[in-house]
Amino acid sequence: MTLPRIAFCTTCKNRTQHLEHTLPENLRQNASYQNCVFIVLDYNSQDNLAQFMGTYDLDGIVAGPRPRSFVLTNLQKFADLVYYRFTEPGPFRMAHAKNLAHRLGIREGADILVNLDADNFTGLKYPWEGSEYSFAQYIAERFAEDKDKFLWARMVKDGEGRLGRGIAGRIAVPTRGFLLAGGYDERFDTWSPDDKDFKKRLQNLGFVPEEIDPKYLEVILHNDRMRFKEYPHAETAQGEEAFLSVQESELTISNFGNFGCGVVYRNFQPEPIELGPLPTRIFGIGMHKTATTSLHHALEILGYDSAHWKDAHWAKRIWNQMASTGRSQTLERHYAVSDLPIGILFRQLDKAYPGSKFILTIRDEKEWLSSVRNHWGPATNPFRSAWDSDPFSHQLHKLVYGRKHFDAQHFLERYRRHNAEVLEYFKSRPQDLLVMDMSNGAGWYQLCGFLKQPIPSVPYPLANGTQKSEHGA
């Protein structure tokens, strides 16, 4: 079984005195887990962070980093370590720093992202022997039971089992959950309830919270003078009012694609790495029977959490939620969505999820009309009979075409009108719309160029939606 890759994401600005104690311990304590990486983001730190990180072997000469003073015969192993520098001057922006570090974790291939403050140990401070003491192994086991969860640290203020204040930011989340939520809300740029807000939005997206075992929550205790060093004005500015507003929020997505952006440098290398905005969501808005199933599978191959018509009840929830609230929590649980009713909701989706990317799949009109005719035929669509017992399928056909029975001329006119309306709507925003003409061989080159992704080594998928799924529309 392949172990999930876990990235421990640590941001540091003028807190090297803590990292000097925690990082070596954490690297050693998690070395038994074979697929984890520690990301240290130097957020323009003005102390000796760069010098400290320079004591580690970051060029992969040996397996895992090691202090350069180590003798090669030393049998002690270390987990992987990558050092990134963000050199933009200015104050420490809490949520932005976390988002940048987490996106760098994704860049290093992480399946699970763990926010780990510079003053945090990943376990008790004694010699560790065996995977049973590894926080990374613990995380992997917890997510093996249920991937739709996140782990968080409860701060115990008083009494037996008291935990230090500094552990409250420890959150482990699947990469999928981080992207769906849009990361930490960058409105919180000082010490604030950014972690509480993030946890609440994850819950609103359907991720189940689970408390971290306290034995993994050791922390260097320090006073508030250190905590508020970068923004002393925030010590009294954040309070119960902000906390309550977070607890009552029904929001799911923050930042709308513009999060964790900036230029960084990896392992003292001179080449800049730019992280730009990400799509809030990706919507396939081509009419059905325009290779939307193929697009769905292509997006999955690219690593996106993609959804395509699941069943009529799923589609109905999306339609009703969009109609009643202007957004859909059902839809939000996926990063990419295509097929009806998504196509005919493109205006509403653009308003509800700014920063999204839209993909219009089209095909030769005669080919499309023939495919739709077959889709309406009981002899060619084995799921056609289910439409009569499912009111929403026919309701959706009426919403799209104004009728539930196939009519070639009327359907073709509607197909042309839909494509024309999409092109007109996005005419001044070509960067947000990709038109894929499937009859002219559109595939990886167009899709990957649009989404800024490398082209996979496998052929672009060709799937027949009618045969692959119980497509009610």
Side-chain angles (χ1 to χ4, degrees):
M1 181 180 70
T2 303
L3 295 173
R5 184 156 177 80
I6 299 172
F8 293 98
C9 306
T10 298
T11 65
C12 189
K13 185 177 178 70
N14 302 328
R15 300 283 285 272
T16 306
Q17 60 180 319
H18 290 158
L19 203 63
E20 287 174 336
H21 293 283
T22 59
L23 183 61
E25 290 292 322
N26 293 337
L27 289 171
R28 184 173 72 247
Q29 291 166 1
N30 293 278
S32 61
Y33 186 82
Q34 298 300 307
N35 198 16
C36 73
V37 59
F38 282 77
I39 307 293
V40 173
L41 172 63
D42 179 343
Y43 201 83
N44 196 30
S45 190
Q46 298 301 301
D47 56 9
N48 64 328
L49 178 57
Q51 292 90 329
F52 168 64
M53 295 305 300
T55 66
Y56 284 89
D57 179 6
L58 299 171
D59 54 14
I61 293 175
V62 296
R66 59 179 175 85
R68 286 182 178 149
S69 59
F70 258 50
V71 180
L72 283 176
T73 56
N74 192 309
L75 298 179
Q76 190 139 45
K77 299 296 183 182
F78 286 81
D80 290 336
L81 172 65
V82 182
Y83 171 57
Y84 282 94
R85 292 173 296 126
F86 176 70
T87 60
E88 182 179 308
F92 182 67
R93 292 178 286 150
M94 175 75 78
H96 174 258
K98 289 181 180 179
N99 285 336
L100 188 53
H102 283 56
R103 286 191 59 183
L104 293 171
I106 296 173
R107 189 177 186 274
E108 298 293 333
D111 303 299
I112 300 170
L113 302 162
V114 185
N115 186 68
L116 185 68
D117 290 344
D119 57 6
N120 276 216
F121 293 97
T122 58
L124 299 178
K125 293 181 287 184
Y126 53 77
W128 290 44
E129 299 176 0
S131 62
E132 65 271 23
Y133 296 116
S134 166
F135 186 43
Q137 182 67 34
Y138 168 80
I139 291 171
E141 291 175 355
R142 304 316 301 154
F143 280 100
E145 296 179 1
D146 181 5
K147 293 180 173 58
D148 289 331
K149 70 164 60 170
F150 66 93
L151 308 181
W152 68 289
R154 180 189 294 277
M155 185 176 68
V156 179
K157 297 181 181 179
D158 303 301
E160 187 176 355
R162 180 180 182 274
L163 294 173
R165 184 176 181 180
I167 57 90
R170 186 87 64 90
I171 302 175
V173 61
T175 294
R176 167 176 169 263
F178 176 77
L179 293 174
L180 288 179
Y184 292 82
D185 193 332
E186 295 191 10
R187 293 179 302 165
F188 300 117
D189 58 358
T190 64
W191 192 88
S192 59
D194 60 292
D195 51 352
K196 297 179 179 66
D197 170 79
F198 184 46
K199 290 183 288 190
K200 185 63 166 63
R201 286 186 289 107
L202 287 171
Q203 287 180 269
N204 292 345
L205 281 165
F207 290 84
V208 179
E210 179 180 314
E211 290 186 39
I212 297 172
D213 188 324
K215 74 180 180 182
Y216 297 106
L217 299 176
E218 185 75 15
V219 64
I220 297 175
L221 297 178
H222 57 85
N223 58 30
D224 282 351
R225 183 178 180 182
M226 172 67 74
R227 183 166 286 111
F228 291 100
K229 181 180 179 181
E230 295 300 321
Y231 24 74
H233 64 283
E235 187 166 3
T236 57
Q238 307 293 343
E240 190 67 19
E241 182 178 346
F243 172 73
L244 290 175
S245 67
V246 165
Q247 294 303 102
E248 296 170 357
S249 174
E250 294 301 322
L251 296 179
T252 51
I253 303 170
S254 68
N255 303 308
F256 294 102
N258 193 16
F259 63 102
C261 298
V263 175
V264 296
Y265 301 84
R266 185 180 190 273
N267 286 354
F268 297 102
Q269 296 169 2
E271 297 81 12
I273 299 168
E274 183 174 1
L275 300 182
L278 296 173
T280 302
R281 291 292 187 271
I282 300 171
F283 296 115
I285 57 174
M287 289 285 273
H288 60 165
K289 314 315 295 178
T290 60
T292 59
T293 305
S294 298
L295 175 62
H296 160 63
H297 291 314
L299 292 169
E300 287 185 320
I301 292 171
L302 292 177
Y304 295 109
D305 172 21
S306 180
H308 189 271
W309 177 284
K310 293 178 178 290
D311 55 46
H313 299 292
W314 179 81
K316 184 178 182 179
R317 286 196 300 273
I318 292 176
W319 180 266
N320 289 342
Q321 289 165 359
M322 290 297 299
S324 61
T325 67
R327 51 184 282 263
S328 167
Q329 287 190 324
T330 299
L331 175 153
E332 289 167 2
R333 291 174 182 172
H334 302 279
Y335 193 72
V337 192
S338 53
D339 203 7
L340 292 176
I342 302 305
I344 60 175
L345 290 170
F346 68 89
R347 297 180 184 87
Q348 297 94 316
L349 294 172
D350 185 44
K351 180 179 180 181
Y353 306 104
S356 295
K357 297 296 185 182
F358 295 80
I359 301 170
L360 176 67
T361 46
I362 61 175
R363 62 189 295 193
D364 176 82
E365 292 181 350
K366 291 182 179 179
E367 293 177 359
W368 177 81
L369 199 58
S370 175
S371 182
V372 175
R373 180 183 288 107
N374 291 336
H375 192 56
W376 251 257
T380 49
N381 182 356
F383 307 110
R384 170 62 182 83
S385 59
W387 297 359
D388 297 323
S389 59
D390 167 36
F392 185 71
S393 289
H394 281 318
Q395 179 185 346
L396 185 57
H397 298 148
K398 289 182 179 179
L399 290 168
V400 177
Y401 297 108
R403 64 193 65 202
K404 65 180 184 180
H405 298 296
F406 177 78
D407 180 279
Q409 182 177 353
H410 190 85
F411 276 38
L412 184 57
E413 290 174 354
R414 181 67 182 96
Y415 174 68
R416 290 170 174 169
R417 187 169 80 251
H418 172 75
N419 294 341
E421 288 172 349
V422 170
L423 294 175
E424 174 65 21
Y425 183 84
F426 287 101
K427 67 179 181 181
S428 61
R429 294 163 50 196
Q431 72 279 5
D432 294 331
L433 176 69
L434 171 67
V435 179
M436 295 185 70
D437 188 344
M438 307 312 296
S439 296
N440 286 331
W444 287 132
Y445 180 79
Q446 292 79 8
L447 183 61
C448 293
F450 181 63
L451 298 176
K452 297 182 173 64
Q453 293 280 9
I455 295 178
S457 59
V458 298
Y460 188 87
L462 298 176
N464 185 320
T466 297
Q467 295 178 357
K468 295 285 183 181
S469 63
E470 188 174 347
H471 185 172

